[in-house]
Amino acid sequence: MTATQSVQAVYRSDYQPPTYWIDNVELEFDLDPRETLVTARIAVRRNADQASHTLELAGQHLQLQSVSVDGTPLSANEYSISNESLTLTELPETCVIETQVLVSPVSNKTLSGLYQTSGNYCTQCEAVGFRRITYFLDRPDVMATYRVTLRADKKTCPVMLSNGNRIAQRDLGDDRHEVVWEDPFPKPSYLFALVAGNLKCHRGTFTTASGREVALEIWVEPQNIDKCEHALVSLQKSMKWDEDVFGLEYDLDIYMIVAVNDFNMGAMENKGLNVFNSKYVLALPETATDEDYMLIEAVIAHEYFHNWTGNRVTCRDWFQLTLKEGLTVFRDQQFTADQTSAAVKRIDDVSGLRAGQFVEDSGPMAHPIRPESYISMDNFYTATVYRKGAEIVRMYHTMLGPEGFRRGLDLYFQRHDNSAVTCDDFRAAMADANDMNFDRFDRWYSQAGTPELFVSEHWDADKSEFSLTLQQAYPSLSGGNPGTTHRKPVPLPVRVGLLDANSGDELNEHSRVLQLETESETFTFSGLNAKPIASVLRGFSAPVRLRMDRSDAELAFLMAHDTDALNRWDAGQTLAAKLLLQSAKDVSDGVELKLSEHFRSAFARVLQDDAVDEAFKALALTLPRESVLGQEMDVIDPDALHTAREFFRSRLGEVFYTEFMAMYHALAADGAYQNDQTSINRRRLKNVVLGYLATQHSDEVIALIRNQFERADNMTDKQAALSLLADLDTPDREQALAAFYDQYHHDPLVIDKWFAVQAGSQRADGIEQVRQLTEHQDFCMENPNRVRSLLGAFTQNQVRFHQADGAGYQLLADYVLQIEAANPQLAARLVAAFNSYRRFDASRQAIIRGELKRIADHPGLCKDVHEIVQRALSF
């Protein structure tokens, strides 16, 4: 790959359909670790709208053995080949092109294309991995039916899987065998999957609404066969929910999931054969936390829901990625809300959006949910495309209601089943099915950045009228990225409720969704007896930053009384953030810190409120993250923020010590572990309370933490205790870390937790600890989970990663340079931790910029990292 090719941008405006379409694909794999022979026969027909008879097939890292057209072998002067493609000229209107190539799965460390993991064969083809398997039109608008023949040694590959239905299998002699798979539904190449090796199956069934029985198979390495039941139940629940809520039924005879250890992503929705990172499949109480269980259920659901929103209807080009991902994230969020608590789920989602996507929206990687250009498509599997994309879909749901949204989705499938389409097609279906005009909604797809919503209020006692003036604006962004200039007002559905200022009772007749279509508009509420308290942006009905002047007393009132759970939580977060930011300034100015009485009393009311469930209470009692607080500072001061937040935590732990201790003991489980929702909620609150107690460093509390660690019968409690011990200067720390490792060293996913706990430690020797752990016998640079558990977790450690001497920044840059050649996707995700460097003080900026330049100057730097680094340096 030349340097010019490595940084060549692709533009949405340049989209052209291919010169030829591919209708049918036959693939044959003779599997071998070093030399897998791939034979591909593709039936092509010329695109009637194109005049050319030339076809350029993408291909990378392939050893071409032969090419033929309609059975006639081509000589070397009848085609042209480069590091990126195979080009054929003067093709007939229709023909069958056959190629044979050799690929080396064992040496493929990118985890893209066909590779080996734990001795098993696996593929990952999204976004452009299929070109590492054979020469092809590796683009999502080319949809074909596939027949796949797999051949391998019976001892090393007793199991061989691919998309669709198994239609034949036979013994070949010489200890080899063959399996044939056929997928009757047209699909793009990114949905192709192949898995082969020594695997065991956990089986189940599901009977669809129309009465068909679907075989469910979860394939794992033999030692993990006892960890699959939760994944199976999650799949069955997902299938039932999609039928009940959206009327969508599964369409094949078999649905398979395979768990692999080495995987760049969370999971992949390949038609009928989902390949998963083992983190999102395997679970037992003693090895998986409550969060792991919930994530497994959510990710299983997400990939299953893709069968319709992504597979049956797919993207015309990769710029439309949010068409499938944003929509499917919204669907999995709704699913989880129905399985657990809608309020808690919404708070978790909004919290994640603010912590991750809002940062992205204000930095060098700011882009619309439908980007205008890219150098490496792998860099645009972002929080913006996924999380913000889901919020855009949610706004349709808010404006249309569940019934109107369902009508729009039904029309979308009716029009576009088995097609590759655009975001505009989805928007048109929603509009046409409900006789609405969503033309201005296009701005959400083409503009980058997070709008700010300014709200002011006015009370007219003479007229008994209360009015809210809503005004929207985009903050300025540097860098000149597409979608960041000349931005126009976007449609904003703003859900509002009014509360009686004395009782806190909801004035139901005045609750509504205000539709802001222009830059500014005033909405009036009449017939009120007294000035109410306004609860604005309920349920986070639009992805904006709310700017509304509130007194501490008013925020405390909403924290105690708001009937919208998200806004009640958010009032507490807003009050805490306001006070913490002032305290951070006081730290810088040398002013003595004090705990606000308003906040102390509001905190006490939440603590003592028995009307809310424990999960909500845990969220409401948790202070805003330092990374979120930093977004509100002109210049982020991580040291002052940490000092202020730790002061608040310590004072709250001191003031409410007796209440926390009583609550902890009341929440401690009696009897054996349970994973019902009530037990999960109780553990969540118990461990938040234990965190506050830990700030006191008393012998009583340390003994309590040690006791929880030693006696825990579940990973949730054990990991929570270990995380607290990891921050302490006590012999209990080293003893607990050693005991944890000795107990779980055989389980890779649990050892990931062991690495992550230490990477998150805020002790003064944290950076040295991370460096030492990179030399540990169980640290593997080729395993993305292990790298993320140590280096990825370290970048979230606000105290140590942003250490003033820059040692954290140097550490990250060192390892990005070690990883980028073998696994560009992983390295690019790590280096993105530098994206917000312009928000810090001049000294930190200079250090990070120096590290970015060091990376940029690295010879042969991969295009994934190059794109991220150059955008950061240009910001």
Side-chain angles (χ1 to χ4, degrees), residues 842-856:
S843 175
R844 286 182 171 91
Q845 280 193 45
I847 297 171
I848 298 175
R849 191 170 180 84
E851 297 300 334
L852 287 168
K853 287 183 176 179
R854 176 162 72 99
I855 295 170

mmCIF file of all heavy atoms in Angstrom, residues 842-856:
data_model
loop_
_atom_site.group_PDB
_atom_site.id
_atom_site.type_symbol
_atom_site.label_atom_id
_atom_site.label_comp_id
_atom_site.label_asym_id
_atom_site.label_seq_id
_atom_site.Cartn_x
_atom_site.Cartn_y
_atom_site.Cartn_z
ATOM 1 N N ALA A 842 -1.913 24.738 28.836
ATOM 2 C CA ALA A 842 -0.887 24.832 27.803
ATOM 3 C C ALA A 842 0.188 23.767 27.955
ATOM 4 O O ALA A 842 0.690 23.221 26.957
ATOM 5 C CB ALA A 842 -0.259 26.228 27.829
ATOM 6 N N SER A 843 0.559 23.461 29.194
ATOM 7 C CA SER A 843 1.613 22.472 29.418
ATOM 8 C C SER A 843 1.174 21.093 28.946
ATOM 9 O O SER A 843 1.926 20.407 28.227
ATOM 10 C CB SER A 843 1.976 22.429 30.903
ATOM 11 O OG SER A 843 2.908 21.400 31.148
ATOM 12 N N ARG A 844 -0.030 20.670 29.337
ATOM 13 C CA ARG A 844 -0.517 19.357 28.905
ATOM 14 C C ARG A 844 -0.721 19.337 27.389
ATOM 15 O O ARG A 844 -0.432 18.332 26.731
ATOM 16 C CB ARG A 844 -1.811 18.997 29.638
ATOM 17 C CG ARG A 844 -1.618 18.594 31.102
ATOM 18 C CD ARG A 844 -2.935 18.200 31.735
ATOM 19 N NE ARG A 844 -2.775 17.607 33.062
ATOM 20 C CZ ARG A 844 -2.786 18.283 34.197
ATOM 21 N NH1 ARG A 844 -2.934 19.618 34.175
ATOM 22 N NH2 ARG A 844 -2.638 17.664 35.356
ATOM 23 N N GLN A 845 -1.239 20.429 26.834
ATOM 24 C CA GLN A 845 -1.413 20.496 25.377
ATOM 25 C C GLN A 845 -0.083 20.263 24.662
ATOM 26 O O GLN A 845 -0.015 19.508 23.682
ATOM 27 C CB GLN A 845 -1.961 21.866 24.967
ATOM 28 C CG GLN A 845 -3.447 22.050 25.160
ATOM 29 C CD GLN A 845 -3.952 23.297 24.456
ATOM 30 O OE1 GLN A 845 -3.585 23.548 23.318
ATOM 31 N NE2 GLN A 845 -4.778 24.064 25.144
ATOM 32 N N ALA A 846 0.952 20.912 25.132
ATOM 33 C CA ALA A 846 2.254 20.791 24.474
ATOM 34 C C ALA A 846 2.769 19.360 24.536
ATOM 35 O O ALA A 846 3.320 18.835 23.545
ATOM 36 C CB ALA A 846 3.250 21.752 25.118
ATOM 37 N N ILE A 847 2.585 18.720 25.678
ATOM 38 C CA ILE A 847 3.060 17.339 25.816
ATOM 39 C C ILE A 847 2.292 16.414 24.870
ATOM 40 O O ILE A 847 2.893 15.589 24.154
ATOM 41 C CB ILE A 847 2.923 16.858 27.273
ATOM 42 C CG1 ILE A 847 3.813 17.692 28.202
ATOM 43 C CG2 ILE A 847 3.291 15.379 27.383
ATOM 44 C CD1 ILE A 847 3.572 17.438 29.674
ATOM 45 N N ILE A 848 0.959 16.527 24.870
ATOM 46 C CA ILE A 848 0.154 15.645 24.019
ATOM 47 C C ILE A 848 0.452 15.919 22.551
ATOM 48 O O ILE A 848 0.569 14.978 21.751
ATOM 49 C CB ILE A 848 -1.352 15.825 24.306
ATOM 50 C CG1 ILE A 848 -1.665 15.439 25.750
ATOM 51 C CG2 ILE A 848 -2.178 14.975 23.347
ATOM 52 C CD1 ILE A 848 -3.107 15.686 26.161
ATOM 53 N N ARG A 849 0.567 17.174 22.198
ATOM 54 C CA ARG A 849 0.864 17.495 20.794
ATOM 55 C C ARG A 849 2.198 16.868 20.372
ATOM 56 O O ARG A 849 2.336 16.360 19.262
ATOM 57 C CB ARG A 849 0.886 19.006 20.596
ATOM 58 C CG ARG A 849 0.934 19.424 19.124
ATOM 59 C CD ARG A 849 0.702 20.919 18.963
ATOM 60 N NE ARG A 849 0.748 21.276 17.556
ATOM 61 C CZ ARG A 849 -0.287 21.170 16.730
ATOM 62 N NH1 ARG A 849 -1.441 20.717 17.182
ATOM 63 N NH2 ARG A 849 -0.169 21.509 15.455
ATOM 64 N N GLY A 850 3.164 16.885 21.285
ATOM 65 C CA GLY A 850 4.442 16.250 20.976
ATOM 66 C C GLY A 850 4.285 14.759 20.747
ATOM 67 O O GLY A 850 4.914 14.186 19.836
ATOM 68 N N GLU A 851 3.455 14.104 21.555
ATOM 69 C CA GLU A 851 3.224 12.670 21.364
ATOM 70 C C GLU A 851 2.476 12.394 20.063
ATOM 71 O O GLU A 851 2.764 11.418 19.366
ATOM 72 C CB GLU A 851 2.448 12.095 22.555
ATOM 73 C CG GLU A 851 3.177 12.164 23.892
ATOM 74 C CD GLU A 851 4.496 11.408 23.887
ATOM 75 O OE1 GLU A 851 4.654 10.456 23.095
ATOM 76 O OE2 GLU A 851 5.387 11.780 24.681
ATOM 77 N N LEU A 852 1.513 13.256 19.735
ATOM 78 C CA LEU A 852 0.790 13.099 18.468
ATOM 79 C C LEU A 852 1.729 13.249 17.276
ATOM 80 O O LEU A 852 1.643 12.485 16.298
ATOM 81 C CB LEU A 852 -0.348 14.122 18.375
ATOM 82 C CG LEU A 852 -1.569 13.864 19.268
ATOM 83 C CD1 LEU A 852 -2.480 15.081 19.299
ATOM 84 C CD2 LEU A 852 -2.343 12.638 18.781
ATOM 85 N N LYS A 853 2.637 14.206 17.356
ATOM 86 C CA LYS A 853 3.600 14.385 16.257
ATOM 87 C C LYS A 853 4.533 13.180 16.170
ATOM 88 O O LYS A 853 4.916 12.757 15.065
ATOM 89 C CB LYS A 853 4.387 15.674 16.465
ATOM 90 C CG LYS A 853 3.573 16.936 16.191
ATOM 91 C CD LYS A 853 4.424 18.193 16.352
ATOM 92 C CE LYS A 853 3.639 19.434 15.978
ATOM 93 N NZ LYS A 853 4.432 20.686 16.149
ATOM 94 N N ARG A 854 4.923 12.645 17.327
ATOM 95 C CA ARG A 854 5.779 11.446 17.322
ATOM 96 C C ARG A 854 5.075 10.294 16.623
ATOM 97 O O ARG A 854 5.682 9.558 15.833
ATOM 98 C CB ARG A 854 6.152 11.069 18.756
ATOM 99 C CG ARG A 854 6.970 9.775 18.878
ATOM 100 C CD ARG A 854 7.663 9.696 20.217
ATOM 101 N NE ARG A 854 6.779 9.440 21.321
ATOM 102 C CZ ARG A 854 6.588 8.247 21.878
ATOM 103 N NH1 ARG A 854 7.220 7.181 21.410
ATOM 104 N NH2 ARG A 854 5.783 8.109 22.915
ATOM 105 N N ILE A 855 3.783 10.139 16.880
ATOM 106 C CA ILE A 855 3.018 9.082 16.212
ATOM 107 C C ILE A 855 2.887 9.388 14.730
ATOM 108 O O ILE A 855 3.075 8.511 13.877
ATOM 109 C CB ILE A 855 1.633 8.942 16.866
ATOM 110 C CG1 ILE A 855 1.779 8.470 18.312
ATOM 111 C CG2 ILE A 855 0.758 7.970 16.086
ATOM 112 C CD1 ILE A 855 0.487 8.541 19.118
ATOM 113 N N ALA A 856 2.569 10.633 14.398
ATOM 114 C CA ALA A 856 2.368 11.014 12.994
ATOM 115 C C ALA A 856 3.622 10.792 12.158
ATOM 116 O O ALA A 856 3.543 10.462 10.966
ATOM 117 C CB ALA A 856 1.941 12.473 12.908
#
